[in-house]
Amino acid sequence: MAMNKSIKYGTGGALLFGTGNALMNAINQMDTNSEFDWSRFFKAFAKGAVFGGAAGFVYGSIRDEKMTNVLSKYGTVPNYLHKSLNYYKDDNVLLLDKAEQVKAKLNQKFKGDLAITPKFHGSIAKGTSIYGSDIDIQLQFKKEFGALADVYYSVSDFIYDEFKDAKLESVREQRHSIGLEFKIKDEIKRIDIVPTRQVENDNNDTCLFVNKTGFFEKPTYKKTNSLKQLIALSFNYREKRIVKLLKVWKTENNLIIKSIHLEWLAKKAFQEKKVAQNIEKALSDVIHFIACNIEYLRIVDTANSNNIISNTLSNEEKNTISRFCFKMIEDIKKDKRNIIDYFPSLESAA
């Protein structure tokens, strides 16, 4: 266990530098008219391997010591994961206050046209947001308001023309929403406003305008139901912590997967197997479920059967994530310290 990275980097360095040095020797020999000398070729490989192996071993040893010290500071892997969650804790009260102000201004402007008062939607409503998450505000207009394009652009025009806030940095029309960026304590924070319109009065089924994003695209619409989505993706306290940890994992490793897809995969994993009390075991179970099922599991939006959430990733992208998950499980099984590679933010703070 103590030689986790030293052996890995030493072996990799030996192979890389040995092969590189041998290839350079071969190229040099081919530039001459003399007969190819295999003994020189293999000696060049050996010299490169010795140098690369030694350099890799030293670097790996330093890395091993650093990882030992980091994990020692936090004691155990479960404690390290709990601290990682705390590091990404969504405690931006100022952004939440700003979002409440935005909700109030939207309600004041469109009160007569709204079926219900503006509501928080997405991760903030599900209790699965982490630091850096956007806040989504959903506006549900009455059916008789008019065309979906009118719903979208009436909100957009209000934001551009009338909405005033000293901290507002920029506004942009997005695919389903109007995005607002605020500068709060020298950081850019985002609030997305999602205008929808009821399909029938006194019914939670709504439609939202899908703005064109490409030059040749035409605007369209999509059916949705925020209440059904919230019910389908409801989590208990322990499940919420694992979902948040998965979002941290996604962020830390730059994984290309939508948060809602990740939430659905977690939900399926929880339905298959009871969440372990130990956070390390619970995370391992969910990562293993994702590794085994992401390529084959068809996930359909409960609010719209035409919206296949699992199709937001290509087969190649799903395969990449699956292999990444299997590698993570294997790496941590070999050495507990390797958890730091997959949740590295705490290392810089150690």
Side-chain angles (χ1 to χ4, degrees):
M1 181 172 175
M3 300 179 73
N4 171 33
K5 300 294 185 186
S6 55
I7 292 175
K8 179 181 177 180
Y9 292 165
T11 304
L15 186 61
L16 180 65
F17 279 84
T19 302
N21 207 40
L23 284 173
M24 286 178 63
N25 178 269
I27 292 169
N28 289 334
Q29 288 198 59
M30 285 188 285
D31 283 342
T32 67
N33 293 324
S34 57
E35 186 178 349
F36 193 87
D37 189 337
W38 284 100
S39 64
R40 284 173 59 195
F41 176 81
F42 287 116
K43 282 179 183 177
F45 178 85
K47 285 180 181 178
V50 169
F51 174 79
F57 186 87
V58 170
Y59 177 75
S61 297
I62 294 170
R63 179 81 179 124
D64 278 332
E65 185 178 2
K66 177 70 185 293
M67 291 174 76
T68 297
N69 293 336
V70 170
L71 201 56
S72 294
K73 176 181 177 179
Y74 296 101
T76 63
V77 170
N79 195 44
Y80 187 86
L81 293 173
H82 281 298
K83 294 297 184 184
S84 292
L85 265 179
N86 194 56
Y87 185 84
Y88 273 86
K89 185 178 179 182
D90 185 19
D91 56 358
N92 199 328
V93 178
L94 294 177
L95 179 62
L96 202 56
D97 287 345
K98 182 60 64 181
E100 290 286 1
Q101 294 169 21
V102 174
K103 272 174 46 178
K105 288 181 180 180
L106 289 167
N107 190 54
Q108 183 180 8
K109 172 66 178 179
F110 297 106
K111 188 174 183 178
D113 300 314
L114 295 177
I116 56 175
T117 57
K119 303 288 184 186
F120 287 137
H121 185 54
S123 61
I124 194 79
K126 287 177 281 194
T128 59
S129 60
I130 62 171
Y131 183 82
S133 295
D134 298 341
I135 291 183
D136 294 337
I137 299 173
Q138 187 176 71
L139 297 181
Q140 191 176 127
F141 284 79
K142 296 174 184 175
K143 179 186 176 182
E144 56 266 23
F145 181 81
L148 280 169
D150 294 339
V151 168
Y152 182 91
Y153 288 115
S154 64
V155 176
S156 176
D157 289 346
F158 166 69
I159 296 297
Y160 276 111
D161 300 337
E162 300 178 44
F163 185 88
K164 305 296 180 186
D165 192 291
K167 295 187 181 298
L168 183 64
E169 290 286 304
S170 67
V171 178
R172 64 176 180 177
E173 293 178 346
Q174 301 171 142
R175 191 166 180 82
H176 301 129
S177 61
I178 297 97
L180 283 68
E181 291 188 337
F182 294 89
K183 191 170 186 179
I184 300 175
K185 282 196 169 181
D186 296 324
E187 289 187 301
I188 297 297
K189 303 290 185 180
R190 287 187 50 171
I191 296 173
D192 288 341
I193 302 169
V194 186
T196 66
R197 192 203 64 195
Q198 285 185 323
V199 174
E200 297 292 340
N201 289 331
D202 302 320
N203 190 315
N204 282 304
D205 287 341
T206 60
C207 285
L208 56 82
F209 183 69
V210 181
N211 199 11
K212 62 179 182 179
T213 54
F215 186 77
F216 296 105
E217 283 188 13
K218 291 183 178 179
T220 181
Y221 70 94
K222 185 165 70 174
K223 184 181 174 185
T224 187
N225 186 312
S226 59
L227 185 61
K228 284 183 180 178
Q229 289 175 336
L230 286 175
I231 293 171
L233 287 173
S234 61
F235 301 100
N236 63 34
Y237 172 77
R238 298 201 66 78
E239 291 170 345
K240 284 178 185 177
R241 287 183 68 78
I242 298 303
V243 170
K244 288 180 182 180
L245 199 57
L246 287 171
K247 291 184 177 183
V248 172
W249 172 71
K250 170 196 167 182
T251 301
E252 297 272 66
N253 297 282
N254 298 311
L255 297 178
I256 303 172
I257 180 171
K258 287 180 177 290
S259 290
I260 193 169
H261 193 176
L262 205 55
E263 288 176 341
W264 269 111
L265 288 166
K267 188 70 176 180
K268 299 288 186 183
F270 299 149
Q271 290 170 347
E272 182 177 278
K273 195 169 186 177
K274 187 178 178 181
V275 183
Q277 292 295 312
N278 181 289
I279 193 171
E280 178 186 6
K281 178 68 166 62
L283 178 66
S284 179
D285 287 344
V286 175
I287 295 291
H288 185 263
F289 179 88
I290 294 172
C292 295
N293 293 280
I294 190 171
E295 294 183 83
Y296 316 106
L297 200 58
R298 188 171 186 265
I299 297 174
V300 181
D301 185 354
T302 52
N304 182 356
S305 59
N306 293 319
N307 183 23
I308 313 301
I309 294 169
S310 48
N311 285 352
T312 56
L313 290 177
S314 67
N315 291 335
E316 185 179 352
E317 288 168 335
K318 291 175 186 176
N319 180 260
T320 298
I321 292 174
S322 176
R323 286 187 284 108
F324 183 83
C325 291
F326 278 125
K327 183 179 183 300
M328 175 180 172
I329 293 167
E330 189 61 31
D331 284 347
I332 296 170
K333 193 181 294 183
K334 286 178 183 176
D335 190 326
K336 295 282 189 184
R337 293 174 301 176
N338 286 331
I339 191 70
I340 297 168
D341 290 337
Y342 297 94
F343 293 89
S345 282
L346 284 185
E347 184 175 358
S348 58

